[in-house]
Amino acid sequence: MGLYSRFLLFIFLAVSPAGLLAQHSSRMFVDVDYDAQLFRIKQEITYHNQTTDTLQDFVLNDWNNAFSAKNTPLAKRFSDEFVRAYHLAKDEERGNTKIYSIVDQNGRLLNWERPKKHPDIVDVQLKNPIYPGMKFKLSITYEVKIPSDRFTGYGYNDGVFNLKDWYLVPARVVNNEFVRYSNENIDDIANSICDYELTITLPKGTALTSDLYIGNKTSKGDKDEYYLIGKNRTIFNLVLEKKNSFEIFRNEVVEVTSNLRDNRVTEIQKADIVNKITHFTADNLGSYPYGKIMITQADYDRSPMYGLNQLPSFLSPFPDSFIYEIKFLKTYTNTYLKNTLKLDPRKDNWIYDGIQMYLLMKYVEENHPDKKMMGQLSNWGILQGHNLFRVDFNGQYNYLYLLMARKNLDQPIGDPKRTFIKFNEQIAGKYRSGLSFAYINNYLGNNIVPNAISEFYNLNKSGYTSREDFEQILKSKTDKDINWFFNTVVNTRKLIDFKFGDVDREKDSVRVTVKNRTGTDVPVSFYGVKDKKMLFKTWLENVTTDTTFTIARQDADRLVLNYENEIPEYNTRNNWKSLKKFSLGNKPYKFTFFQDLEDPTYNQVFYVPSFIFNLYDGFSPGFRVHNKSMLEKPFIFDVEPTYSTKTGKLIGSVSFLYNHYLREKGLYNVRYYLGGSTYHYAPDARYIKFNPSVQFRIREDDFRKNKQQYILIRQVLVNRQQSDYVITDEQNENYSVFNLRYGKYESEITRHYNFYTDAQIANSFGKLSGEIQYRRLFNDNRQINLRLFAGTFMYRSTSSEFFSFGLDRPTDYMFDYNFYGRSETTGLFSQQYVMAEGGFKSMLETRFANQWMVTTNASFNIWNWVEVYGDAGVLKNKYRSPEFLYDSGIRLNLLPDYFELYFPVYSSNGFEMNNGNYSQKIRFVVTISPGTLINLFTRKWF
């Protein structure tokens, strides 16, 4: 770029609205080795000490180096969320930063270090103190190895570099202290505001796209050199590719560069959508200070419109133009706010999320008021009876927040972003923030919240901001007390739940009691409704206990709390009160085919076809009737009558469950259960099981820690019919077992620990047992699994082995395991394997222990999912000496706990392949339960 061009560019930027802010500058010279994914960088940082303290050291963010090892905070985050790809990746797929030298303005080499456990932060020790108001310069020489994009969406992939947070940058300073945040894959880097100059050399023909201003490129042999500049930036984006995939849209508001996939949207449609959204955002926030903005598919993929992107494309629930519009709106507002708000992105993330989701809801309300959450599927006649297909597009946000609140997994939106579990960080917390902004906007009215957002946005153009600034602006615009919003809605996880008490009807007035079920002191909206038409609305305040009001009836036939769902309320099923003289109840019953989203206007009952399979009942069709909607509720009943195709008899199950969630305790859930079932355990005999129980579940205060404890107390009553196929006696036909169990576990992708102790008391026996399991994935991608089991009888007065400890297969007398052929002793179904009790895979001559047993099981992978296993143990039977037994073989761990194969090789029987019939010795694990398989893929979210 020529001197004259640079001069004009500097003049243009200097007079821009953002030109008076930054006091720091960063000048980088970057040479790109495209094939090696290596950037060689020389960087000059000029830093202005704007603190009131004297600086002895200096902190740089180096988030690219978070990819350098398997024990970084980033790697730990992946492990916590069961992301296996990063740990199994090759070294060349992970990135790193190699710093060769850091030199001060006097040419002196400076010492630097990476703090322990924070390899993505560089702490530079200064030779001379830097006093307040002084400037100093650092010159840094380093190399950046760009990681694969398959871990975070940013990096290299097939000749494309999508770059973010790849260079060294001064960390932000708050209260005279450098902010030291490590990269945890949540897009919350805390950078200082800098002016950037970037000179980058690329292989000739490489397309470069950035949200910095790009000067004329200069050709130098087989290289192209670009010059880029930007002022007052905390971050900037850069994409390098062999073929340019970006389109440019210009209007009087902003220049947009985008490569969002367009799903067959025409150029005219895209231009119209971009124009409409850019004007909407500028009108509701303020002008964009940087002139150009970059909207990438990678950014959208990082934070998609959940729900919109989950439906299969062949259903075409939304027009292509609407999909593009919502994708662009979501990504544009996110980028707009992240580039302009100078908040602490980790501590104050709720403001980013709240403003963004508030804008999204407002945009849809203004431009697509008739759109439904499920799009055009809502027009299908067969689906119109389901609430899922009648909910407005904006209605989905409250349901997705409630999904976590009902599981007692919601978190305060004002907490630091790194403390959130993934579902809250990406979905529920984000939506709850937007709902909270909509809540206080409805309460205050008069455009107070939109005006406060605009004023706060403009404040960010002049410097760093915080939540205190936003709070001060909002409070300055109203005389109402809104401390409840910040102290309760933002900073706590207190639930909001109001309901009606007694109602006394008069001719022209109504005396009504409103109950606050949670004691949360927030305002609640109160409506009078007739034939679904709103007659009046008012806000009730200070309803912390049961409060009685007298109001004019105004011909209303129903009173409703939170009628328009402006409040993120825990339970809206109790918000209705009929004023009709004769009423069978406040809500009618509704029977719905298949499961549905909760509808607060009905008592819902669902019915759905079902089937079960076991060898003795066959593939048996059934019909399940239950009240479990897509949201958790305290009381759940489930009745599943089934027709046994092999016996021609009725089988099935019934259960009643009550969940009591405790909000602020380590003991967070008490589950009361009463259930019964009856199936066939042999071709000619059925069993009936009755099981009352109570379970206490305990968790850590830190929700991100995958640690839990539980205590289970149950009584298992079993009645087994006599069978000619299976030998039974009176003691193992009808029996009752009291069971007390304590367990705890801690789980992540690199480490799993599980422990339990178990006591069983019955008339004919008493048993104690315990188990410890440990799994470890090492840095060389080798994995070891260890298990220890020990059990003993306290007393025993039966000669049957039915209640004995099983060496290779439990007898499962409490019918806890899903055996497909539980009474089989030969054939395929006898080879089904369950890791329980002894845990052996080979079927040895001695298969049970009626006094005590101690076994250990181990496996170690030799290649991907191929493992070697070995079992060893000692067991004792009455009137016999203790026996030492062992086995070994190959395990194909195709899908752990769901699909596995075991091939015995050598055991106490000798070489397993010598005795013939080897196929009958192979053991298998197969799980066909859809719910169990779903848990495998959703565990990273919760």
Side-chain angles (χ1 to χ4, degrees):
M1 184 176 184
L3 180 61
Y4 181 69
S5 298
R6 293 192 184 195
F7 175 75
L8 289 179
L9 189 55
F10 270 118
I11 293 297
F12 175 78
L13 292 170
V15 299
S16 68
L20 301 175
L21 186 64
Q23 299 291 323
H24 319 306
S25 64
S26 176
R27 189 179 183 190
M28 290 186 284
F29 300 86
V30 182
D31 183 57
V32 176
D33 186 336
Y34 214 89
D35 295 331
Q37 298 94 41
L38 193 67
F39 289 19
R40 299 181 179 90
I41 303 172
K42 292 183 178 181
Q43 184 173 7
E44 295 178 357
I45 295 175
T46 302
Y47 191 84
H48 183 192
N49 182 7
Q50 296 169 298
T51 73
T52 57
D53 282 354
T54 300
L55 295 182
Q56 302 291 342
D57 61 354
F58 180 69
V59 176
L60 296 167
N61 287 326
D62 180 18
W63 275 26
N64 185 74
N65 204 55
F67 296 89
S68 61
K70 298 182 181 182
N71 57 356
T72 65
L74 177 67
K76 176 70 169 122
R77 186 93 179 186
F78 285 140
S79 181
D80 286 346
E81 294 177 355
F82 296 92
V83 178
R84 194 178 178 91
Y86 180 81
H87 202 89
L88 298 180
K90 300 175 182 178
D91 288 341
E92 56 266 27
E93 292 181 286
R94 287 190 291 271
N96 61 73
T97 303
K98 292 181 180 178
I99 299 176
Y100 294 108
S101 66
I102 302 179
V103 178
D104 69 9
Q105 58 194 7
N106 297 313
R108 294 174 297 183
L109 196 65
L110 300 180
N111 294 324
W112 59 274
E113 65 178 4
R114 300 184 185 277
K116 189 177 181 181
K117 297 184 179 179
H118 296 281
D120 46 11
I121 294 173
V122 179
D123 199 331
V124 182
Q125 306 301 315
L126 301 174
K127 295 288 187 182
N128 298 113
I130 308 300
Y131 299 104
M134 291 183 60
K135 292 185 178 182
F136 66 96
K137 183 183 292 185
L138 296 179
S139 298
I140 312 170
T141 303
Y142 61 103
E143 284 184 349
V144 169
K145 172 68 172 66
I146 303 298
S148 168
D149 71 351
R150 69 191 186 102
F151 311 127
T152 65
Y154 301 118
Y156 76 86
N157 179 24
D158 195 24
V160 176
F161 289 82
N162 203 313
L163 302 174
K164 195 169 188 179
D165 303 329
W166 53 277
Y167 48 90
L168 298 179
V169 61
R172 176 174 174 164
V173 175
V174 176
N175 297 325
N176 293 333
E177 294 287 337
F178 283 100
V179 175
R180 299 168 187 263
Y181 292 161
S182 279
N183 184 357
E184 297 188 35
N185 194 31
I186 50 176
D187 296 332
D188 63 346
I189 192 167
N191 291 338
S192 287
I193 303 169
C194 288
D195 293 339
Y196 286 98
E197 288 183 65
L198 173 63
T199 301
I200 184 168
T201 304
L202 301 167
K204 199 171 191 63
T206 303
L208 180 149
T209 307
S210 177
D211 52 358
L212 298 179
Y213 282 96
I214 305 174
N216 295 329
K217 71 178 180 181
T218 303
S219 295
K220 295 185 176 181
D222 60 349
K223 301 280 189 178
D224 286 334
E225 182 180 277
Y226 289 86
Y227 178 76
L228 297 86
I229 190 168
K231 296 181 73 68
N232 303 329
R233 308 297 297 262
T234 55
I235 55 175
F236 66 85
N237 291 322
L238 188 65
V239 173
L240 312 176
E241 50 193 342
K242 297 295 186 182
K243 183 179 180 182
N244 184 25
S245 64
F246 285 83
E247 299 174 282
I248 297 176
F249 304 89
R250 294 185 180 93
N251 58 33
E252 66 274 16
V253 174
V254 70
E255 176 185 304
V256 177
T257 307
S258 173
N259 70 342
L260 278 183
R261 288 193 284 270
D262 54 27
N263 297 319
R264 302 180 299 278
V265 181
T266 67
E267 296 301 314
I268 294 176
Q269 287 176 312
K270 283 190 284 187
D272 180 62
I273 288 168
V274 170
N275 189 62
K276 185 163 58 174
I277 290 173
T278 53
H279 279 85
F280 168 84
T281 308
D283 291 343
N284 284 274
L285 287 177
S287 62
Y288 187 69
Y290 304 120
K292 59 185 299 190
I293 191 170
M294 194 168 167
I295 307 302
T296 69
Q297 184 65 40
D299 285 341
Y300 175 76
D301 291 340
R302 289 277 299 176
S303 182
M305 193 68 186
Y306 290 99
L308 187 70
N309 69 326
Q310 304 301 311
L311 295 172
S313 58
F314 71 87
L315 289 175
S316 299
F318 296 99
D320 291 332
S321 60
F322 179 76
I323 293 175
Y324 181 83
E325 186 175 4
I326 294 300
K327 286 172 62 175
F328 185 86
L329 175 66
K330 181 86 163 20
T331 312
Y332 183 79
T333 52
N334 183 62
T335 304
Y336 201 101
L337 291 167
K338 287 296 176 73
N339 287 351
T340 54
L341 297 190
K342 304 303 189 299
L343 289 158
D344 184 318
R346 181 162 292 182
K347 289 184 178 179
D348 297 331
N349 185 70
W350 67 275
I351 299 180
Y352 288 102
D353 288 343
I355 295 176
Q356 184 198 18
M357 296 311 302
Y358 171 78
L359 292 176
L360 259 65
M361 289 187 283
K362 184 177 182 180
Y363 181 88
V364 170
E365 187 178 313
E366 292 179 358
N367 295 279
H368 301 282
D370 298 327
K371 278 286 188 296
K372 302 298 181 182
M373 181 173 72
M374 302 300 288
Q376 296 172 348
L377 298 180
S378 303
N379 299 326
W380 294 12
I382 193 173
L383 302 176
Q384 288 180 348
H386 289 72
N387 191 43
L388 176 65
F389 298 94
R390 291 188 286 110
V391 172
D392 291 337
F393 190 86
N394 283 342
Q396 64 184 303
Y397 305 124
N398 192 50
Y399 280 105
L400 287 166
Y401 152 66
L402 287 177
L403 185 68
M404 299 303 281
R406 296 282 185 88
K407 292 177 179 289
N408 201 6
L409 286 172
D410 56 306
Q411 295 171 273
I413 59 175
D415 278 6
K417 190 176 182 181
R418 69 177 301 273
T419 65
F420 292 159
I421 56 179
K422 186 172 182 178
F423 197 94
N424 286 333
E425 183 252 315
Q426 295 203 2
I427 304 176
K430 187 181 291 287
Y431 294 170
R432 171 66 193 272
S433 296
L435 292 167
S436 300
F437 271 69
Y439 178 15
I440 195 168
N441 179 55
N442 272 281
Y443 172 69
L444 294 177
N446 299 318
N447 286 321
I448 288 175
V449 171
N451 291 336
I453 290 174
S454 294
E455 185 174 329
F456 178 71
Y457 175 83
N458 287 319
L459 181 64
N460 281 266
K461 294 180 180 179
S462 60
Y464 297 115
T465 57
S466 67
R467 67 172 68 189
E468 287 76 18
D469 296 316
F470 180 73
E471 182 175 351
Q472 184 177 356
I473 290 172
L474 191 58
K475 286 182 175 179
S476 70
K477 296 184 178 301
T478 178
D479 294 329
K480 293 184 178 180
D481 181 4
I482 57 173
N483 285 318
W484 57 267
F485 177 77
F486 296 97
N487 297 338
T488 302
V489 174
V490 173
N491 290 332
T492 75
R493 60 191 298 265
K494 290 182 179 178
L495 296 174
I496 302 171
D497 190 10
F498 294 92
K499 66 174 289 187
F500 283 112
D502 295 332
V503 174
D504 295 325
R505 305 166 181 82
E506 302 293 339
K507 183 177 181 181
D508 299 319
S509 65
V510 177
R511 192 167 186 268
V512 58
T513 298
V514 176
K515 296 185 175 184
N516 189 333
R517 300 191 67 192
T518 59
T520 304
D521 188 6
V522 296
V524 57
S525 54
F526 181 89
Y527 295 81
V529 177
K530 181 178 178 62
D531 298 327
K532 297 185 178 182
K533 180 181 179 181
M534 185 177 69
L535 300 181
F536 63 85
K537 172 186 177 181
T538 188
W539 284 92
L540 306 180
E541 301 179 68
N542 302 314
V543 186
T544 55
T545 58
D546 295 1
T547 306
T548 301
F549 304 88
T550 300
I551 60 169
R553 181 168 179 173
Q554 300 183 37
D555 201 32
D557 60 18
R558 279 190 177 188
L559 300 179
V560 189
L561 299 171
N562 193 20
Y563 180 63
E564 295 178 301
N565 290 318
E566 59 266 82
I567 305 172
E569 194 175 5
Y570 181 74
N571 178 18
T572 57
R573 298 190 306 273
N574 52 18
N575 285 12
W576 299 71
K577 201 72 173 181
S578 175
L579 296 180
K580 293 180 180 178
K581 192 169 184 179
F582 300 102
S583 175
L584 296 177
N586 292 317
K587 291 187 295 183
Y589 280 87
K590 182 180 180 181
F591 292 84
T592 305
F593 188 51
F594 281 99
Q595 196 174 28
D596 192 12
L597 200 60
E598 184 173 284
D599 188 341
T601 61
Y602 291 97
N603 291 306
Q604 294 167 292
V605 178
F606 308 107
Y607 56 97
V608 60
S610 63
F611 81 94
I612 66 99
F613 170 77
N614 67 59
L615 185 60
Y616 316 115
D617 291 308
F619 284 95
S620 301
F623 213 73
R624 183 179 171 214
V625 180
H626 63 95
N627 71 327
K628 185 177 181 181
S629 71
M630 295 177 182
L631 298 177
E632 291 265 358
K633 57 180 62 177
F635 176 73
I636 298 172
F637 69 83
D638 197 329
V639 181
E640 189 173 8
T642 304
Y643 176 75
S644 173
T645 55
K646 281 200 171 182
T647 66
K649 297 179 180 179
L650 189 67
I651 55 175
S653 63
V654 60
S655 66
F656 302 93
L657 174 69
Y658 182 79
N659 269 313
H660 179 204
Y661 284 110
L662 294 88
R663 297 288 295 176
E664 306 299 335
K665 305 289 184 181
L667 172 63
Y668 77 99
N669 174 246
V670 182
R671 177 172 292 182
Y672 304 91
Y673 176 83
L674 181 63
S677 59
T678 177
Y679 299 100
H680 287 83
Y681 74 94
D684 58 347
R686 73 164 68 217
Y687 72 88
I688 300 173
K689 175 184 175 180
F690 181 65
N691 176 27
S693 69
V694 58
Q695 184 183 54
F696 305 89
R697 294 196 290 172
I698 305 163
R699 67 181 174 200
E700 299 287 319
D701 291 336
D702 183 354
F703 287 12
R704 283 199 58 82
K705 290 184 178 179
N706 297 317
K707 295 181 179 179
Q708 284 201 18
Q709 303 174 64
Y710 68 89
I711 300 170
L712 174 65
I713 304 171
R714 63 174 177 166
Q715 189 77 31
V716 180
L717 298 93
V718 177
N719 182 300
R720 295 203 308 163
Q721 293 180 343
Q722 288 187 351
S723 169
D724 295 331
Y725 189 78
V726 178
I727 298 175
T728 61
D729 58 35
E730 291 183 1
Q731 288 183 322
N732 63 28
E733 287 175 3
N734 304 305
Y735 51 89
S736 176
V737 181
F738 172 77
N739 183 208
L740 174 63
R741 173 175 288 203
Y742 166 77
K744 64 183 297 185
Y745 73 86
E746 178 181 353
S747 186
E748 57 184 84
I749 202 68
T750 58
R751 181 178 177 271
H752 172 87
Y753 164 79
N754 182 65
F755 165 77
Y756 79 83
T757 58
D758 188 89
Q760 298 177 17
I761 305 294
N763 287 335
S764 58
F765 70 91
K767 297 167 73 172
L768 290 174
S769 63
E771 177 185 301
I772 299 174
Q773 288 188 2
Y774 180 77
R775 182 182 69 239
R776 185 76 168 91
L777 180 61
F778 297 101
N779 285 342
D780 62 358
N781 294 335
R782 299 295 183 186
Q783 179 171 289
I784 188 170
N785 297 271
L786 300 173
R787 175 179 179 269
L788 175 67
F789 172 84
T792 184
F793 278 86
M794 297 180 289
Y795 61 89
R796 182 173 180 270
S797 61
T798 176
S799 59
S800 172
E801 297 289 8
F802 185 59
F803 301 108
S804 296
F805 295 109
L807 184 66
D808 67 86
R809 175 174 163 129
T811 57
D812 192 27
Y813 48 86
M814 292 199 289
F815 295 91
D816 289 332
Y817 304 112
N818 187 25
F819 281 116
Y820 304 124
R822 63 178 56 251
S823 298
E824 300 304 293
T825 56
T826 60
L828 177 65
F829 288 95
S830 70
Q831 297 168 232
Q832 183 183 355
Y833 176 76
V834 170
M835 175 61 83
E837 298 183 355
F840 272 53
K841 288 78 182 177
S842 293
M843 300 178 192
L844 307 181
E845 183 177 349
T846 304
R847 301 185 66 183
F848 300 99
N850 56 35
Q851 280 194 285
W852 54 263
M853 173 191 288
V854 178
T855 61
T856 182
N857 318 107
S859 64
F860 182 78
N861 71 314
I862 54 178
W863 180 77
N864 287 346
W865 35 263
V866 181
E867 302 177 4
V868 294
Y869 72 81
D871 308 310
V874 180
L875 57 81
K876 175 69 170 66
N877 281 292
K878 198 171 183 179
Y879 308 122
R880 297 174 63 179
S881 299
E883 294 182 70
F884 173 76
L885 301 168
Y886 63 90
D887 70 0
S888 61
I890 301 295
R891 176 192 187 192
L892 301 186
N893 191 10
L894 302 174
L895 196 58
D897 302 323
Y898 301 93
F899 183 46
E900 306 173 13
L901 294 173
Y902 293 88
F903 297 88
V905 175
Y906 196 83
S907 71
S908 297
N909 289 332
F911 191 58
E912 294 282 4
M913 297 183 182
N914 284 343
N915 301 325
N917 299 321
Y918 183 75
S919 62
Q920 297 179 17
K921 299 177 182 181
I922 299 171
R923 306 296 294 273
F924 67 88
V925 174
V926 173
T927 299
I928 61 174
S929 168
T932 306
L933 289 170
I934 288 171
N935 288 338
L936 176 68
F937 298 104
T938 59
R939 58 185 178 175
K940 68 179 180 180
W941 290 96
F942 305 107

